[in-house]
Amino acid sequence: ETGVCGIAGLPARNALIEENVLQNNSRFPIAEVSESAGIKTHANQGTLIRRNLIMDNPINGIWMDWDNRDSRCTQNVMLNCGTGIFIEASVVEPFCLLDRNVIWGAKQGIYEHDCKNQAFVHNFMGQSELGLILRGKVTDRIIAGKYPAAGGGHTAANNAFFKVGKEIEETTSP
């Protein structure tokens, strides 16, 4: 139990984050602003986040922030988190794979913005307000010093939803 993040990393290159139990993180008032999650990493490049159990985080279960490439988030279980998984600002190949995760009791299951060409497959989301939220381009930031934020081109396939208010919400990027 921590006030902001259970596990945090900058950068998370060629890292393995595996088989952790993280509960009741994101409890300090700063958590309402940003930068908080059970697992919050930046620049996941060649990183594997798998088989973690994350419970009762009011903000994010897993937050893959900024310039994620060639990384995988798989076989994680998020229970009662504000957002199960948030991936942000990722536009450089090779793209990321978020698969085989279980998200239960979230406000939103998986959320992305300022990303393109990510793969969201074989995830299970239940008892949630929203399932998969694909926002696309939201800001005008430059990622990795030269790549503009972008959106679209995602693969969303074979995800399962149970008692989810809206399964997939996609916003077309300008």
Side-chain angles (χ1 to χ4, degrees):
E1 186 170 316
T2 62
V4 180
C5 293
I7 295 172
L10 174 64
R13 294 197 175 111
N14 300 313
L16 172 63
I17 303 171
E18 178 179 57
E19 297 183 356
N20 298 285
V21 176
L22 302 160
Q23 185 172 11
N24 292 318
N25 297 285
S26 309
R27 299 293 177 184
F28 287 162
I30 189 173
E32 296 171 8
V33 179
S34 65
E35 304 305 321
S36 56
I39 298 171
K40 169 85 162 69
T41 51
H42 291 79
N44 293 282
Q45 297 177 10
T47 293
L48 177 59
I49 302 171
R50 76 172 171 203
R51 297 194 303 255
N52 296 285
L53 173 59
I54 303 169
M55 301 174 287
D56 304 320
N57 287 347
I59 309 297
N60 300 294
I62 296 171
W63 186 352
M64 299 172 69
D65 192 354
W66 196 260
D67 193 20
N68 302 291
R69 309 175 196 181
D70 192 27
S71 292
R72 185 176 183 194
C73 182
T74 185
Q75 303 171 36
N76 299 288
V77 176
M78 275 77 48
L79 305 172
N80 304 317
C81 294
T83 299
I85 301 170
F86 176 13
I87 184 168
E88 179 179 11
S90 301
V91 297
V92 182
E93 291 184 56
F95 302 110
C96 297
L97 172 62
L98 286 75
D99 71 306
R100 301 172 57 197
N101 297 289
V102 174
I103 301 165
W104 190 266
K107 290 180 183 164
Q108 43 193 23
I110 298 173
Y111 174 90
E112 76 74 28
H113 73 237
D114 290 345
C115 297
K116 70 175 184 181
N117 299 331
Q118 308 303 309
F120 306 97
V121 297
H122 303 289
N123 296 291
F124 176 78
M125 291 164 256
Q127 291 293 112
S128 300
E129 293 176 26
L130 296 167
L132 178 59
I133 298 90
L134 304 174
R135 280 286 171 251
K137 184 178 180 294
V138 173
T139 71
D140 290 323
R141 298 182 286 181
I142 300 298
I143 301 160
K146 61 182 176 180
Y147 302 98
H154 301 299
T155 299
N158 300 316
N159 294 294
F161 303 93
F162 176 79
K163 293 189 178 180
V164 171
K166 186 170 187 181
E167 294 177 359
I168 299 176
E169 181 174 289
E170 186 168 10
T171 303
T172 304
S173 300

